[in-house]
Amino acid sequence: NRYQSNEEFEPGFDGLKNSKNYSDLDYNNKDSIILMVFAYWNLVEYYFPYKYVMDQKWDKTLEEILPLAVAAKNKKDFLLTMKKMTTKINDSHGYFFGASKWPAESRFFPANCKIIDNEMVVIEIVGDSLAQADNIKIGDVITKINDKTIKEHIEENRDLICASNEASYLDRVVKAILVSDSENVKLEFLKDGKYETKSMNWFDYHDSHQNEF
């Protein structure tokens, strides 16, 4: 990087330490919103070593994100906009933390999956009693969730998950697809060459990630 600094870049480094109250923003104040966007943009502009290998020029990202941030109506909208901004660094180490990862009302599928050829294959049961109740087994193939194909779910999350390459993105998007804000979820499976649709009740993280057997 052409910019030099005497700062120690080590765990705990805070590139935003000179921005007052950045962790306690007034989301109704447009000046505060703009300050936070520019503070984050400059953090990447001056400190991120891979800026020149991003898929999109960082200047263009600012042009796209700033109007969205200014138009944000509440904290949730603003944090979503910043999350979209973070994905543009194309780095699997990139996250934007500003709220709890999953809202309290989130419900989860009782198994882990892997995306193969735009379908989801169950690779691990994490809530055995719940999986047994709905006859979910390792090797099952999920083709749709709530009437959307897995490919559609993959594409609609693309602006929300930061990843350095497609393989990394497909690994990370699985968790986003297997969470719902409703406990009743409709799934389509491919089993023994036949499509099967069923409605499942998904549960909170604690119950859905607890093996009893």
Side-chain angles (χ1 to χ4, degrees):
N1 196 305
R2 67 183 184 277
Y3 303 105
Q4 303 298 312
S5 171
N6 293 322
E7 187 82 38
E8 292 291 333
F9 301 105
E10 57 186 2
F13 168 71
D14 185 358
L16 300 177
K17 64 183 179 182
N18 293 323
S19 297
K20 294 181 180 180
N21 300 322
Y22 74 84
S23 61
D24 188 25
L25 280 181
D26 179 358
Y27 296 95
N28 295 314
N29 186 315
K30 298 304 180 185
D31 291 340
S32 295
I33 293 295
I34 293 172
L35 173 63
M36 185 60 196
V37 171
F38 271 95
Y40 181 75
W41 184 86
N42 276 289
L43 182 64
V44 174
E45 173 74 6
Y46 290 99
Y47 293 116
F48 188 54
Y50 306 113
K51 185 182 74 172
Y52 298 107
V53 294
M54 294 179 190
D55 290 344
Q56 176 173 292
K57 288 186 178 298
W58 194 230
D59 289 353
K60 182 173 176 57
T61 295
L62 179 63
E63 293 174 5
E64 292 178 353
I65 293 298
L66 190 56
L68 298 178
V70 171
K73 296 180 180 180
N74 50 47
K75 179 179 180 179
K76 182 179 179 180
D77 287 350
F78 176 71
L79 294 178
L80 183 63
T81 299
M82 294 302 292
K83 195 172 184 180
K84 290 180 178 179
M85 189 176 186
T86 302
T87 66
K88 299 301 183 181
I89 68 174
N90 304 122
D91 190 329
S92 296
H93 299 92
Y95 293 90
F96 186 84
F97 297 101
S100 60
K101 188 172 183 181
W102 307 117
E105 65 272 14
S106 296
R107 297 295 180 264
F108 300 84
F109 184 64
N112 290 330
C113 297
K114 184 176 181 62
I115 294 176
I116 301 175
D117 295 333
N118 291 321
E119 296 176 335
M120 297 188 78
V121 180
V122 175
I123 60 172
E124 179 187 18
I125 302 299
V126 295
D128 51 15
S129 61
L130 298 178
Q132 184 183 67
D134 283 295
N135 194 31
I136 305 299
K137 299 178 180 178
I138 292 176
D140 285 353
V141 177
I142 303 171
T143 53
K144 289 183 180 180
I145 300 178
N146 286 334
D147 296 319
K148 288 184 180 179
T149 65
I150 301 304
K151 184 176 182 179
E152 289 174 318
H153 283 285
I154 291 171
E155 295 307 316
E156 72 178 18
N157 281 281
R158 200 168 285 279
D159 288 340
L160 301 174
I161 297 174
C162 195
S164 55
N165 53 54
E166 187 66 9
S168 176
Y169 171 70
L170 292 178
D171 282 342
R172 298 181 74 173
V173 76
V174 168
K175 290 184 178 180
I177 295 175
L178 294 181
V179 62
S180 172
D181 57 6
S182 171
E183 66 178 33
N184 188 261
V185 183
K186 180 181 177 183
L187 292 92
E188 180 185 83
F189 292 87
L190 178 60
K191 292 189 176 187
D192 300 322
K194 297 181 180 180
Y195 290 98
E196 172 187 329
T197 300
K198 67 172 65 177
S199 291
M200 289 183 61
N201 286 326
W202 288 9
F203 294 83
D204 62 24
Y205 188 88
H206 177 268
D207 289 342
S208 63
H209 288 67
Q210 180 173 266
N211 282 323
E212 300 178 2
F213 302 149

